[in-house]
Amino acid sequence: MDRLSEITFLLPDAPESRSFLDELRSLFAEVTYADFTGDASTADGVGDRLTLTPPRPADARPVTIFELASVRAPEIVLDTGHSIGGWGGTDLHETRALPARIEMAELTRRIAGHVKRVDHTGVNVPACATSPEQWSDLTTALASASTMYRYPTGEDWPFVLPSTSDELIDDIRDFVIGREPRFELVYDQWLTQTQWQFALWTDLTRADLEQMFPEPEGMTFPELEEIFRVVPVLSPWPCLDIRFDLCYRIENGPSDWETGEWLVTEGGRIR
C-alpha cells in the first residue's frame, strides 16, 4: 500500500517567498517539532525548508514541509503524485474572499512566542474551478494512501491525520496529543480562488486574541467562535488567499479534538 509521507507547500524563488518562509520560521519558533534547514549550497535560498514532523506516535506520517523551489506559483505537492495549485478568478467583480487587513509580518509581530503547536494546515479548493469528479478523484487517491476522516457534522472537510504504517493498514485507535499537523481539504462552494489555511494552538485566551485582532482584522465563523479567531493576511500571490485560525488556550484538556478521537469515532474513516 502506498503511503502519504510528505505534504509540501512549495513557494516560488522570489523575495516575497523568502519573507513568508522567514515569518513562518519566527511564528513557529516555540513549536518544538518545527525544524528549519537552510541550503548552504545556494546563496539565494532555494532549497530552504521548514519541516513539521508529528511528535506522536513515533514514525507518524505525513510530515509537512514549506520549501523554496523553482516553481512559478505556490502549490501543494503530495508525494503520492498529486499536486494542488492556486486558482484565482479573472473577474475581480466576481472574486469572493475573506478581506485581509494585515501583513504576515504584523501577524508574526503580534503573536510570536504564543504559538505552541500547529493543529493543521489545509487548502480550500474553489468548487467553481474544480469539478465534483476532480474532487472525488483527489480525495479517493488520498484516502487510499493515508488515514483520512470525514468531518462529523457533514461538511465536505475531510482531514488527514498523521499515522503509523500499521494504523494505515488497520486504523487509529490510540488518541494522543501530538498527532499533528493534520491536513484539511475543503471543497469550498463560496470562495472563488484557492486559500491556504493554518490552524495554530496558542497560549492566549479568546479575550486576548479579540484584543490583539479586533474586527475587521480578525473575525469568527458561526458555531466555531468559541474555538478560534480567524485572521486573514495579505497574500503576496494574486492567485492565493491565506488565513490563520488562532486557537484559544484550552484550560481543561486534552479535548477529543486535540487527540483526534472526535474525527476518528464520530466522522469515520474514508477508504
Side-chain angles (χ1 to χ4, degrees):
M1 177 184 292
D2 291 335
R3 183 185 182 190
L4 176 63
S5 296
E6 293 184 358
I7 298 172
T8 305
F9 290 74
L10 291 181
L11 306 174
D13 174 22
E16 59 268 23
S17 299
R18 288 190 284 275
S19 295
F20 185 80
L21 188 61
D22 285 344
E23 295 301 334
L24 278 183
R25 182 183 181 185
S26 298
L27 196 61
F28 297 163
E30 300 296 318
V31 178
T32 58
Y33 49 84
D35 179 61
F36 179 81
T37 304
D39 189 342
S41 65
T42 55
D44 58 6
V46 175
D48 286 0
R49 60 164 49 189
L50 177 66
T51 303
L52 302 172
T53 302
R56 295 181 67 191
D59 299 321
R61 293 292 182 271
V63 300
T64 300
I65 299 166
F66 300 87
E67 184 172 13
L68 300 183
S70 297
V71 293
R72 298 184 61 183
E75 64 176 314
I76 299 173
V77 174
L78 312 170
D79 67 348
T80 54
H82 301 81
S83 63
I84 306 169
W87 189 92
T90 56
D91 187 340
L92 295 180
H93 297 290
E94 295 183 359
T95 299
R96 296 192 299 274
L98 295 177
R101 309 284 182 173
I102 68 171
E103 299 278 357
M104 177 69 177
E106 179 60 17
L107 173 86
T108 303
R109 186 190 69 79
R110 294 188 198 181
I111 65 167
H114 294 289
V115 176
K116 304 304 179 182
R117 292 159 41 213
V118 181
D119 182 78
H120 67 268
T121 67
V123 58
N124 291 43
V125 177
C128 62
T130 308
S131 70
E133 291 76 20
Q134 290 172 313
W135 172 255
S136 178
D137 288 346
L138 175 62
T139 54
T140 298
L142 282 186
S144 69
S146 68
T147 41
M148 175 184 277
Y149 297 88
R150 300 174 187 85
Y151 197 75
T153 53
E155 292 86 353
D156 214 350
W157 307 341
F159 274 83
V160 171
L161 272 62
S163 59
T164 66
S165 55
D166 288 342
E167 290 171 332
L168 175 61
I169 296 170
D170 184 14
D171 203 356
I172 291 175
R173 306 183 191 282
D174 188 18
F175 304 115
V176 295
I177 289 183
R179 200 184 286 274
E180 58 192 25
R182 316 164 204 212
F183 181 66
E184 180 182 14
L185 281 167
V186 174
Y187 193 49
D188 203 309
Q189 302 290 339
W190 185 78
L191 293 179
T192 52
Q193 67 180 36
T194 304
Q195 180 186 79
W196 286 359
Q197 51 158 305
F198 306 106
L200 313 179
W201 285 108
T202 76
D203 61 2
L204 300 168
T205 65
R206 178 176 180 177
D208 291 334
L209 285 165
E210 287 176 345
Q211 185 175 18
M212 279 187 178
F213 301 98
E215 293 186 6
E217 293 178 340
M219 65 194 72
T220 56
F221 289 153
E223 300 183 9
L224 297 171
E225 61 272 6
E226 298 295 332
I227 301 172
F228 59 82
R229 190 155 187 82
V230 180
V231 182
V233 299
L234 294 165
S235 172
W237 303 288
C239 64
L240 180 68
D241 293 329
I242 302 171
R243 87 169 200 249
F244 286 83
D245 297 343
L246 306 179
C247 302
Y248 314 136
R249 180 176 72 218
I250 290 183
E251 302 291 352
N252 299 307
S255 68
D256 60 358
W257 173 263
E258 286 181 279
T259 64
E261 184 173 5
W262 187 63
L263 283 170
V264 173
T265 60
E266 298 299 324
R269 186 164 170 184
I270 305 170
R271 294 184 183 268

